[in-house]
Amino acid sequence: RGIMLDISEQKKSEERIIYLAERDALTGLLNRRRFQEELDNQIAYTKRFNQQGALLFIDLDEFKYINDTLGHQAGDDCLLTISRCISSAVREIDVLARLGGDEFAVLLTRADKESAVKVAEHLIKILQKEVVLPVESSMRISASIGITLFPTQGVSPSELLAKADAAMYTAKRNGRNQVHVYQENDTELVNMQNRVHWEDRIHKALEEDLFVLHYQPVIEINSGRIVHYEALLRMNDDGELIFPSAFLDTAERFNLIHEIDKWVLRKAIEAQANSIKTGQPVSIAINLSGRHFGHHEVMHLVQSAIKEYNADPASIIFEVTETAAVENINQARNFIESLRGLGCRFALDDFGIGYSSFHYLKNLPVDMIKIDGGFVRNLHLNEFDRIIVKAMSDLANGMNITTVAEFVENEEICVLLGKLGVDYGQGYHLGMPDPQFAHQTKQVISEPA
């Protein structure tokens, strides 16, 4: 006598697991891993039967501003609409994937260069026509598309994706909202290979704890007293310190900036807590990247780190660039107020480079502004810079906002800053970044006789 088991539910569950492992959670399109498998199979097919195919790499232009100004729900809705538009514009035999973020890819089977370009140009037109953003937004959707042909331009998925990505970046550099077919003399491929190299190094630094923080003192102009330190990120590469300008663009490009942000937040808050234990407590300013400014996850991380390490929130200052803060003024205001509600302070970095700096200052509840170094480094040589810095200082003083001048590089600038009423200074003349806190104060700055 046999026993019959109904395993239909089990099979459905297994099929569901496989489906989810191969699909993008938001759009239901193939994910990057599954798409690369399809591409690998298609390359082998074209080689065997002496045919040709094309790979389209699609990147939306300035998509991050949709998330920043309209919110992430609007961004997700936009991505769903875009995925449907692309699906409707290609053949059933073609393969479509969302590679991540605002990047999509289309695998065109049995397609030559001419037909691939026609499909790409059609996609650009249909996206502009069909994807409609809310009326309060003045933005329009556009896309840059890079094309590679196989097997003539590559026989491995990673090589083809790198070349298509490079071609897409060439399209962006040429003005965006256009198509570019990869050519062997494209310099952008070298840039792409460099970005991939830095991606590997960032992963390694995160996995092996190779990032370090250095602390640069911020000095009170009139007394020379250290008032706080700014935490500055460095990468330790076999004893060589690498500045963030070398790798932050790549971190943004490959969605690694979030992990770096979390590392910096936790390490800086832990350092502040440790300074209390040594009996020489310090205040630390921490930079927030524009990509994650305003996110609830950042707020939760700050709260949990302060509690875990027993740090003093009143000794923590958060800095964000003026440009990032004003992209969504209401969100910025709420986020700043939440941080201040914890007891933390807030500084607006690179102040003065925006078109409406003074207007936004009225609407953002900040404790401090950092005058952009472009107005400071030639203060002793340029009268116009002195007039602007004086105006910033007077305005901030009237609003009970502290001023910090960046790029203070000589004593003459220090003297001028004191005359102009600027409260604090920061720069190599006042103190170099160092992995240890320098508790000695600088000699009081006075006007030369």
Side-chain angles (χ1 to χ4, degrees), residues 6-15:
D6 185 358
I7 62 169
S8 57
E9 288 301 320
Q10 179 182 339
K11 288 189 67 66
K12 287 181 180 178
S13 297
E14 291 174 353
E15 290 172 357

XYZ file of all heavy atoms in Angstrom, residues 6-15:
82
model
N 0.483 15.426 -0.917
C 0.227 16.616 -1.728
C 1.355 17.617 -1.477
O 1.451 18.212 -0.394
C -1.125 17.226 -1.342
C -1.473 18.406 -2.247
O -0.651 18.748 -3.122
O -2.569 18.978 -2.068
N 2.240 17.757 -2.452
C 3.389 18.662 -2.279
C 3.240 19.922 -3.123
O 4.212 20.646 -3.375
C 4.707 17.945 -2.643
C 4.687 17.514 -4.116
C 4.972 16.772 -1.722
C 6.042 17.037 -4.612
N 2.014 20.193 -3.557
C 1.804 21.356 -4.426
C 2.169 22.661 -3.720
O 2.775 23.561 -4.317
C 0.347 21.408 -4.910
O -0.546 21.444 -3.806
N 1.816 22.781 -2.430
C 2.138 24.001 -1.703
C 3.647 24.154 -1.535
O 4.198 25.256 -1.628
C 1.457 23.988 -0.323
C -0.043 24.195 -0.370
C -0.413 25.522 -1.022
O 0.284 26.534 -0.765
O -1.377 25.549 -1.810
N 4.308 23.017 -1.291
C 5.761 23.051 -1.153
C 6.417 23.501 -2.446
O 7.349 24.318 -2.443
C 6.287 21.669 -0.754
C 7.812 21.618 -0.605
C 8.304 20.222 -0.263
O 7.537 19.400 0.228
N 9.561 19.963 -0.542
N 5.926 22.978 -3.579
C 6.499 23.365 -4.870
C 6.253 24.839 -5.149
O 7.107 25.536 -5.684
C 5.914 22.499 -5.988
C 6.418 21.068 -5.979
C 5.971 20.318 -7.219
C 6.606 20.864 -8.485
N 8.064 20.640 -8.491
N 5.056 25.320 -4.773
C 4.772 26.740 -4.963
C 5.731 27.597 -4.146
O 6.209 28.635 -4.605
C 3.326 27.036 -4.568
C 2.286 26.531 -5.548
C 0.875 26.899 -5.084
C -0.178 26.386 -6.059
N -1.557 26.703 -5.597
N 6.009 27.152 -2.920
C 6.930 27.894 -2.068
C 8.330 27.916 -2.662
O 9.013 28.944 -2.668
C 6.965 27.287 -0.663
O 5.703 27.389 -0.042
N 8.759 26.761 -3.167
C 10.088 26.684 -3.775
C 10.180 27.568 -5.005
O 11.183 28.259 -5.225
C 10.399 25.233 -4.148
C 10.605 24.322 -2.941
C 10.756 22.864 -3.338
O 10.561 22.566 -4.541
O 11.080 22.036 -2.467
N 9.125 27.566 -5.813
C 9.107 28.404 -7.010
C 9.127 29.886 -6.628
O 9.769 30.704 -7.294
C 7.862 28.092 -7.843
C 7.913 26.711 -8.510
C 6.586 26.346 -9.155
O 5.626 27.145 -9.034
O 6.500 25.254 -9.768
